[in-house]
Amino acid sequence: MTALIKAAREARERAVAPFSGFKVGAALQTTGGTIVTGCNVENASYGLTMCAERVAMFKALSEGHRDFAAVAVVSDTASPTPPCGACRQVLWEFGGDLEVVLANLTCETGRFRLSQLLPLPFDARLLGGK
Ligand code: THU
């Protein structure tokens, strides 16, 4: 897990956050052990900003990965920075009940299953019938 946090810290350094100044790094681990990273990318049209977690997930999917075990999220805050609601939904849809490890620049700040952060999720199972 240390390697995953380290990868997220390094990804955070590449954050494109000129508007908020709030840099976030994420690192997703596949069940096969591959690590795919992401950082937040902001836009002058603020709503187009993409969070680090979704960048990591979309990168991983586009590279062909489909099975995920854990995600680490790093920000420079003393208290944990958990994934936003949109990221929880996307992580659930493609990653299922992932381990979510939160950390800052020096230590781990929290550890959850995604089902703890997103209880009673909406997902594709509900689209099949009534
Ligand atoms: N952000 C993330 O990248 N991930 C999170 O979990 C929380 C928020 C980004 C979005 C925006 O660029 C900045 O942090 C401030 O909201």
Side-chain angles (χ1 to χ4, degrees), residues 16-17 20 22-24 39-42 49-53 73 81-84 87:
V16 183
S20 73
F22 192 80
K23 296 181 175 184
V24 184
C39 61
N40 54 329
V41 181
E42 298 186 346
T49 290
M50 188 57 64
C51 293
E53 297 92 322
V73 183
T81 295
C84 78
C87 288

